[in-house]
Amino acid sequence: MSTVIYAMYDDDHVLLDGAKKVVSKGIHVTDVFSPFPVHGIDDVIGVRKTRLAICAFIYGLTGMSLALIGMRYFMIVDWPMNIGGKPNFSLLQNLPAFIPITFEFTVFCTAHGMALTYMLRNKTLPGMKAKNPDPRTTDDKFVMEIHVEESKEAEVIALLKETGAIEINKKAA
Amino acid sequence: MEYTFSSKAKRFTLLLVVAGILLFGLGLALDSNYQYADEHSGLGQRLWADLLGNGFFFFGVSFGALFFLGLQYVTESAYTIVYKRILEAVITWFPIGAGVLLFVIVAGLAHQHHLYHWMDPDVYVEKLENGALNPAYDSIISHKAHYFNFGSSADGGFLLLRFVGFVGAFIYVAMKFRKRSLQEDAEGGTKLHFKNIAMAAGFLVAFGYGSSVLAWDLIMSLDVHWFSTLFGWYVFSGIWISGIIMTICLLIYLQSQGLMSWVKKGHIHDLGKWMFALSFLWTYLWFAQFMLIWYADIPEEVAPYVARLKDYKFELFTMMLVNFALPMLFLMDADAKKKKGLLLVVGIIIFISHWVDLQLLIIPSTMKEAGKIGLVEFGMFLMFLGAFLFVVLKALAGRPLLVKNHPYLEESKNLYH
């Protein structure tokens, strides 16, 4: 049997120092809930490196290809238009004219794709039910989540109190 | 900790100069039967154009570093303080680079070369003494006479006044930054720091005008019939990134000597980000200038691009692709910007590529269709590089590598990343 312990802090620096202390004792911190990004906390609790950048690259590549394929169809294949005498029979020779739109569409796809992926992965899309352990973490409190064996529970709670936690809750995992 | 300019490093800078002279001589020998475009763009013209190109490039490297140093004061940034002494060393070349440029301008005004068409007094004379029309008369240049000259002939007075005024002010600022830095080490307190902020703010305003005006005067006026409104920023973005790359390379060199252990991964990462971001600034400006001129296709605007696309197409697009694609592909990843080896390799390649970019602004305008970027040009580049490194390393050895009483020193040392 293991328990989930929620230690609440009211200051991000106290939380950061607390997390360092807990981790140095060999206890794994599962997650930290915070109303704003706490600098350095991801290194301390050992969050895996985000793979959002890989997604962003794929979305960007998709946007770029879509823009180029689209413009090739609209402007070269389907209805070639003579704009200022620019070559309208070749995508490559007319490329400079297409670069601004390609750039914008790449940024568009990357930004929207990243935002949606981020919200989907965190389960925070509009209409999804919030999963944070305590609603106060969206206001001015910070919560550290730790999974421990029942036998070690008392020891960990004592340690957390020592680091300056203002409130400690637990529930069965 | 102090850097000592070892005899090994001295030999290296000397080696660069000697290699440069050898390549320069070899290039001259190989090109002894080279067919130049016409009698006005012969070998003499080529050497003057190279002097201007290399002089401006290394002037730009220290100018970029000076701008960056001023920027740190105005933005009250902490992250560069641990390697501020490198920036202070790079700017010591600034007066020398300015001297080379002044020499080129004065030699032109004394009709020792014909780089600048507007320096020819004939183009301002509409009618000859016998009342006939002057075939050399150029109405476009004549209308710009007061931009270059005091009178309506080719004295170049107004241009010289601008050059001496702006560059003189910038040299004053550079020397003041260097002097106050040592003074701050000795005195402490924040009085000098606030004085520096005020001076840097004034400097940045002057730089905003001065960098553009210098680019127009020295480079854009080679194509005197042509103008481009963003030319100044385009040249500026090139010198800024060259200054950053020089700083990174010197930093990596010093760390390889076991010095500057206080410069952490985070500081390197920040410089890598600058190199990455400025590559895009440069590409953006290059493309914005190219695309608008290409699209509008107005004869008086396209002339310089026609010349470059006709005879310098390979150089132009290779240089553009290297400056754009190399940083994008290799420095995109956050971890890549922290790797010193990668930064050094990419940095050196795009440093040379930005040098080619600057030569392509000068050589096609002065050498017409028969100009080339060959051993002569590269030899002179190496000579300048050797002299530049000698001056900069000597300046670096003259003072401690870490500032002492800068108010942001502790913050800079404990930079979070």
Side-chain angles (χ1 to χ4, degrees), chain B residues 10-140:
Chain B
K10 270 181 196 150
R11 267 206 302 279
F12 176 71
T13 58
L14 187 69
L15 191 75
L16 279 176
V17 175
V18 171
I21 292 171
L22 287 179
L23 282 180
F24 182 78
L26 185 67
L28 283 183
L30 288 177
D31 284 348
S32 55
N33 292 319
Y34 188 73
Q35 284 297 311
Y36 290 101
D38 51 49
E39 77 272 26
H40 287 306
S41 10
L43 181 63
Q45 178 91 331
R46 180 179 182 182
L47 298 182
W48 280 106
D50 295 347
L51 189 65
L52 175 65
N54 286 298
F56 193 91
F57 183 73
F58 285 97
F59 170 81
V61 170
S62 53
F63 201 18
L66 180 61
F67 166 74
F68 194 61
L69 187 61
L71 195 66
Q72 303 313 311
Y73 278 112
V74 175
T75 55
E76 303 203 37
S77 308
Y79 65 96
T80 52
I81 306 307
V82 286
Y83 50 84
K84 188 166 158 275
R85 282 283 148 86
I86 299 183
L87 293 169
E88 283 171 14
V90 173
I91 62 178
T92 47
W93 179 264
F94 189 72
I96 305 173
V100 174
L101 293 178
L102 188 64
F103 174 64
V104 173
I105 299 174
V106 170
L109 288 171
H111 305 297
Q112 296 305 304
H113 60 73
H114 305 94
L115 294 180
Y116 298 98
H117 190 187
W118 59 267
M119 284 181 182
D120 182 357
D122 278 355
V123 299
Y124 301 100
V125 184
E126 193 173 357
K127 285 206 172 102
L128 295 172
E129 272 164 31
N130 57 17
L133 287 172
N134 180 5
Y137 173 68
D138 191 315
S139 75
I140 292 176

Side-chain angles (χ1 to χ4, degrees), chain B residues 59 63 94-95 98-99 101 162-172 214:
Chain B
F59 170 81
F63 201 18
F94 189 72
L101 293 178
R162 277 198 301 270
F163 183 85
V164 172
F166 273 123
V167 172
F170 297 153
I171 290 175
Y172 172 78
L214 285 177

Side-chain angles (χ1 to χ4, degrees), chain B residues 281-293:
Chain B
L281 175 71
W282 179 88
T283 313
Y284 177 85
L285 292 171
W286 187 93
F287 185 74
Q289 179 172 288
F290 173 77
M291 192 198 68
L292 291 180
I293 290 175

Side-chain angles (χ1 to χ4, degrees), chain B residues 79 82-83 262-271 412 415:
Chain B
Y79 65 96
V82 286
Y83 50 84
W262 52 82
V263 175
K264 300 279 174 356
K265 250 194 171 134
H267 301 105
I268 306 259
H269 188 190
D270 279 338
L271 279 172
S412 185
L415 182 76

Side-chain angles (χ1 to χ4, degrees), chain A residues 40 49 83 86 94 96-97 99, chain B residues 287 291 294-295 297 335 416:
Chain A
K49 215 185 137 195
I83 300 172
K86 289 286 169 276
N94 208 1
I99 292 289
Chain B
F287 185 74
M291 192 198 68
W294 172 83
Y295 212 124
D297 210 10
D335 289 333
Y416 166 70

Side-chain angles (χ1 to χ4, degrees), chain B residues 252-286:
Chain B
I252 292 171
Y253 163 68
L254 288 173
Q255 287 210 323
S256 76
Q257 302 293 305
L259 298 160
M260 300 201 98
S261 51
W262 52 82
V263 175
K264 300 279 174 356
K265 250 194 171 134
H267 301 105
I268 306 259
H269 188 190
D270 279 338
L271 279 172
K273 281 184 221 165
W274 273 115
M275 192 158 115
F276 181 70
L278 291 178
S279 293
F280 290 97
L281 175 71
W282 179 88
T283 313
Y284 177 85
L285 292 171
W286 187 93

